[in-house]
Amino acid sequence: MIDGTEEDHEFGLEDDSGAVIAAVGRQIKLWREQAGLRAAELGSIIGYSENLVFKVEGGRRIPKPEFLDKTDDAVGANGKISAMKKDVEEARYPRKVRDLAKLEAEAIELGAYAGVVIHGLLQTEEYARALYAQRRPAYAEGDIERLVAARMARQVVFDRRPAPLLTFVQEEATLRRRTGGRMVLRRQLEHLLEMSQLRHVEIQVMPMEAEEHAGLGGSHRVLKLKDGKTVGHNEVQLISGLITDPRQVQILEMRYNLIRSQALTPRLSREFIEKLLGET
């Protein structure tokens, strides 16, 4: 089973990623000390602050590729620190995010109903950051940046060629809630309108006045993969995961198709979002 949802448990930070970053940090510290440099001196040489050097060495900040390259030169590691760039790049995103991104990369069609927040693939960076800043227990600032970067990285699915069919149904309430404030919401609504213009993307709105709603069981998605298989992904509080049982997948697919038929059409949805934007 592959876990991964739009909620905080999607991005549990207690995975292999943290161990990799901590190991890289220890290696950098060992090379620095062997070179006879203090953290402040290394920072001065490579153009970073002493505080950032300490955070990288302590595994509390993920080093950028240029940080690794410059450090490699400064301490005379002869490419041994630079060689860790690939490991660091993979560890930049939590394991569960990497697993979910692999699924999305294999999908020829993805359909998602989002009833609580704007779907992660449609979020702006500001909106995503505002969401993570509200999570409890609270994330550290460095973790928030890492999680936002991971969410933004998944959006490469829109650039894939041949392009997959991507459909989304957003609950009206998610378009009205001022997550991050008025301007963050305005930019998020503008982004939705921009994305809806893509030929392989359809965004629909489930209005509050709808009397029939097949998605009251919660947010979920259905992915049709290149190998012909169809899988589902369910998202609930603290529990989420990949659904592969054919009968359960069939139920999710049926519900999603009903949700789409009950929601506003893509054209009416764009008009609805434009109206909300004018009111925000």
Side-chain angles (χ1 to χ4, degrees), residues 140-212:
E141 190 62 32
D143 289 337
I144 291 176
E145 293 307 311
R146 179 187 177 205
L147 296 169
V148 170
R151 181 157 291 183
M152 295 300 102
R154 282 175 47 212
Q155 295 181 3
V156 297
V157 68
F158 292 103
D159 302 322
R160 276 180 45 205
R161 294 295 181 270
L165 174 61
L166 305 171
T167 66
F168 303 88
V169 180
Q170 285 289 154
E171 194 67 37
E172 177 183 341
T174 67
L175 306 177
R176 291 186 178 277
R177 186 170 296 112
R178 295 192 174 186
T179 301
R182 174 175 170 272
M183 291 309 298
V184 170
L185 178 59
R186 277 191 60 84
R187 285 188 282 268
Q188 177 64 69
L189 294 176
E190 291 170 348
H191 182 64
L192 290 178
L193 290 173
E194 292 173 3
M195 299 304 292
S196 71
Q197 297 297 324
L198 298 176
R199 286 183 295 175
H200 61 297
V201 176
E202 291 188 353
I203 299 175
Q204 294 176 253
V205 176
M206 175 63 79
M208 295 292 293
E209 63 183 23
E211 296 182 3
E212 296 182 329

Side-chain angles (χ1 to χ4, degrees), residues 48-65:
Y48 289 89
S49 69
E50 176 184 13
N51 185 47
L52 181 61
V53 172
F54 276 132
K55 286 183 176 180
V56 169
E57 291 182 348
R60 300 189 304 276
R61 182 65 62 86
I62 301 176
K64 294 182 178 180

Side-chain angles (χ1 to χ4, degrees), residues 15-33:
D15 61 11
D16 58 332
S17 300
V20 171
I21 298 304
V24 169
R26 287 194 296 271
Q27 286 298 311
I28 290 174
K29 183 178 181 180
L30 288 171
W31 278 101
R32 173 178 63 78
E33 292 177 341

Side-chain angles (χ1 to χ4, degrees), residues 33 38 46 52 56 76 108 127-128 138-139 144 154 175 184 189 217 225 231 237 246 249 255:
E33 292 177 341
R38 297 192 300 271
I46 65 176
L52 181 61
V56 169
I108 60 172
Y127 184 94
Y139 287 129
I144 291 176
R154 282 175 47 212
L175 306 177
V184 170
L189 294 176
L225 308 179
V231 298
Q237 286 283 342
V249 172
R255 289 178 180 174

